[in-house]
Amino acid sequence: MSDIGGIFSTGDLVLLALIACSPGLVLGAGLGAWASPGHRIRGAALGGAAGFALAFAGWWIYLILK
């Protein structure tokens, strides 16, 4: 049985997730801005959200199957 809840608070776990998924956010924002030349801000926002979601899903799967 894991005792991760006793070591880290909810805020700590959220911060860890934000730090771990930030490369996906940055890469997704860059690719989204590059892929939509007419609407760079919207493309960066959508790409960043997609990159963050993919990075989060990747970490989730990695930690679950570990």
Side-chain angles (χ1 to χ4, degrees):
M1 186 156 156
S2 175
D3 62 347
I4 195 166
I7 298 171
F8 299 113
S9 68
T10 305
D12 293 334
L13 293 174
V14 170
L15 184 61
L16 286 170
L18 288 173
I19 290 170
C21 298
S22 63
L25 176 77
V26 172
L27 286 172
L31 288 174
W34 176 73
S36 58
H39 307 283
R40 295 214 187 269
I41 294 176
R42 181 174 55 181
L46 291 174
F52 184 86
L54 284 174
F56 187 81
W59 275 112
W60 185 276
I61 291 170
Y62 172 75
L63 292 173
I64 293 297
L65 296 178
K66 184 176 176 184

